[in-house]
Amino acid sequence: IAPSSSVIALREKMAEHRAYLATAGVCFVVAFGVQRWGTVRERTNRAWFAYRLVVGGAIGVLALLTVARNNIWSSPVTLWREATVRAAGMWEPHYALADVLREAKDCATAVPEYEAVIRYRPMDRNAHTNLGICLAEIGRFEEAEAAFRRTLAIDPNFVRGYTNLGALALVRGDVASARTAYQEAIEHDPRNVLARMQLARILETRFRDYHGAARMCGEARALAPTTPGAGDCVERNRKLAASADAGS
């Protein structure tokens, strides 16, 4: 383990898994010493009792410590929460804790962890993105929009920022803003399939622009032939457009 512990300087002062191999030798030495102590001592009743008491007590303490450590490792949340305390001043444990909390649908608790990451790394667009997602999940829409717009201030070509704004606008019932956001996503990434499919849905269901919806789904299918629902979208909107044209 010399390269990772002595030669190359790492940001982490200690990582638990790097201690496993190193402690093997220590454990062998301790075990050998205990065995020798129990063998060479004069085995009077008192000495033998003391030997068994010490060894048994040590095994008991180690067993309890093992159970306690297993409890920490039993959940990603408890593991990363401990890491935020043990590795104070590092942003990575906060990010990992926030992500596992978000995946566990506990965005209310994840938000402060993402905010902690941003205090360390104010220009991390992914942290702002995930913060915005969690803020939207708990209904703090204005703050979520601010987080998504912050990602675009950091990187104006960050297409996910536009699609997130579009999704948020749909949740808030602001169809016009959603349409604009998805159009901007396509302008910055002409091959973006998600934006086209979402825009097609808006054009079909909200604006009854069946020609436009069919065109968007057709472009999505051309870019990614296996896009779920793209083929059905094209056929459905073509029929709706033909029906609408015949009726007019």
Side-chain angles (χ1 to χ4, degrees):
I1 64 172
S4 65
S5 63
S6 305
V7 179
I8 302 173
L10 300 178
R11 294 188 67 247
E12 302 90 351
K13 295 181 180 179
M14 188 272 181
E16 186 166 330
H17 66 276
R18 291 206 296 270
Y20 295 160
L21 183 59
T23 54
V26 176
C27 291
F28 280 124
V29 170
V30 171
F32 179 75
V34 169
Q35 188 271 338
R36 288 288 295 170
W37 178 60
T39 300
V40 302
R41 288 185 60 86
E42 180 183 356
R43 298 206 175 169
T44 64
N45 288 337
R46 181 177 298 178
W48 186 240
F49 175 78
Y51 168 76
R52 289 185 295 176
L53 183 64
V54 170
V55 173
I59 292 173
V61 170
L62 292 174
L64 291 174
L65 291 174
T66 299
V67 171
R69 196 67 198 151
N70 285 342
N71 287 334
I72 295 294
W73 277 82
S74 65
S75 163
V77 173
T78 57
L79 180 62
W80 286 115
R81 195 182 301 281
E82 184 199 51
T84 62
V85 176
R86 297 291 183 88
M90 295 183 64
W91 62 270
E92 291 94 332
H94 291 283
Y95 207 146
L97 176 58
D99 278 350
V100 297
L101 288 168
R102 177 169 57 86
E103 292 167 3
K105 308 300 182 184
D106 188 4
C107 269
T109 309
V111 165
E113 300 302 326
Y114 282 126
E115 291 173 338
V117 175
I118 291 170
R119 285 195 294 272
Y120 290 113
R121 295 168 59 86
M123 301 300 287
D124 188 326
R125 69 184 189 185
N126 291 325
H128 287 283
T129 295
N130 291 338
L131 172 62
I133 292 171
C134 262
L135 288 168
E137 286 284 341
I138 59 178
R140 293 162 61 178
F141 298 134
E142 291 184 2
E143 295 171 85
E145 181 179 353
F148 294 146
R149 293 198 180 280
R150 179 58 181 160
T151 66
L152 296 175
I154 295 170
D155 180 3
N157 294 315
F158 184 47
V159 176
R160 191 179 175 191
Y162 296 105
T163 56
N164 282 336
L165 284 172
L168 179 63
L170 285 178
V171 171
R172 302 174 76 178
D174 187 352
V175 180
S177 294
R179 181 180 184 178
T180 300
Y182 288 124
Q183 288 171 335
E184 289 178 324
I186 294 172
E187 289 175 6
H188 285 81
D189 178 15
R191 299 186 60 82
N192 192 290
V193 173
L194 171 63
R196 281 180 168 81
M197 292 300 292
Q198 290 294 88
L199 188 54
R201 184 162 68 92
I202 293 171
L203 292 173
E204 177 184 353
T205 60
R206 302 300 180 91
F207 292 96
R208 288 179 171 44
D209 180 0
Y210 305 122
H211 288 289
R215 185 179 68 257
M216 285 292 107
C217 288
E219 291 176 359
R221 184 173 61 178
L223 290 168
T226 59
T227 301
D232 292 340
C233 172
V234 172
E235 297 303 319
R236 182 178 64 253
N237 279 283
R238 283 177 178 173
K239 291 179 182 178
L240 290 170
S243 177
D245 291 343
S248 61

